[in-house]
Amino acid sequence: MIARFELSRRFQRPVINVQCGGETFFALIDTGAIVPVCTLEADEIAALGARFLRKGVNISGIGGVSQGSLYRMDIPFSIFRYVDLPVIRIDDPGMPFDFIFSATMFTGFRYAVDTQFHVLTIDTRSNETELHLRVADNMGSFRVLITE
């Protein structure tokens, strides 16, 4: 399946609009991220049907180590949807995005960011409409596993 998304012209990065729970959110496509991240407030993410699993989850990136809470939620994503997606919710009021979609969400896909025409194209290389990403705890660290 091939999906095309218009990139937001508001940002100089690959940011798309995502419809979830009848609302529109900004999602940064971060090819360096391992785990999807959300910056919504706890009550906002819960209103989208997210299930809280635990707090005190460490994630690291260029900015260093952050702590967040692990949730699982369904995210409609154009013509397909992520089912029971693990998402780390962090408190970062300075971040201009509601979600960061990690590179692991696109493992095995072909995707391209066209900065001239402001389009993100994703080819899942399958006809599956439901996609799964699983995060497993192993001795205090997280491993990202893709399930079919």
Side-chain angles (χ1 to χ4, degrees):
M1 298 199 124
I2 297 175
R4 288 183 177 78
F5 302 87
E6 183 177 347
L7 295 174
S8 174
R9 294 174 190 254
R10 179 176 162 190
F11 305 96
Q12 291 185 332
R13 293 171 261 192
V15 175
I16 60 173
N17 291 329
V18 176
Q19 301 290 322
C20 192
E23 303 216 22
T24 301
F25 299 98
F26 288 120
L28 170 69
I29 308 300
D30 187 343
T31 58
I34 295 176
V35 179
V37 172
C38 174
T39 60
L40 298 174
E41 296 294 327
D43 59 335
E44 292 176 302
I45 193 171
L48 296 176
R51 292 185 346 263
F52 171 80
L53 297 178
R54 74 171 133 170
K55 62 181 178 178
V57 175
N58 289 331
I59 60 171
S60 61
I62 292 175
V65 177
S66 296
Q67 272 206 347
S69 298
L70 179 62
Y71 287 78
R72 283 196 174 270
M73 65 186 296
D74 292 352
I75 295 184
F77 197 63
S78 182
I79 54 178
F80 45 84
R81 70 185 182 109
Y82 282 91
V83 178
D84 205 30
L85 181 73
V87 176
I88 306 291
R89 190 191 76 76
I90 61 170
D91 291 316
D92 189 348
M95 188 177 301
F97 322 110
D98 304 301
F99 291 93
I100 296 175
F101 286 171
S102 61
T104 53
M105 291 174 65
F106 309 109
T107 298
F109 299 172
R110 182 177 301 143
Y111 57 94
V113 175
D114 182 334
T115 57
Q116 181 179 3
F117 295 105
H118 303 281
V119 175
L120 167 69
T121 303
I122 299 174
D123 181 354
T124 65
R125 298 174 161 189
S126 78
N127 290 325
E128 294 295 318
T129 57
E130 289 192 355
L131 306 172
H132 300 271
L133 174 76
R134 188 172 45 133
V135 177
D137 190 5
N138 181 6
M139 304 286 290
S141 61
F142 283 94
R143 304 285 183 244
V144 177
L145 307 169
I146 304 296
T147 59
E148 310 253 343

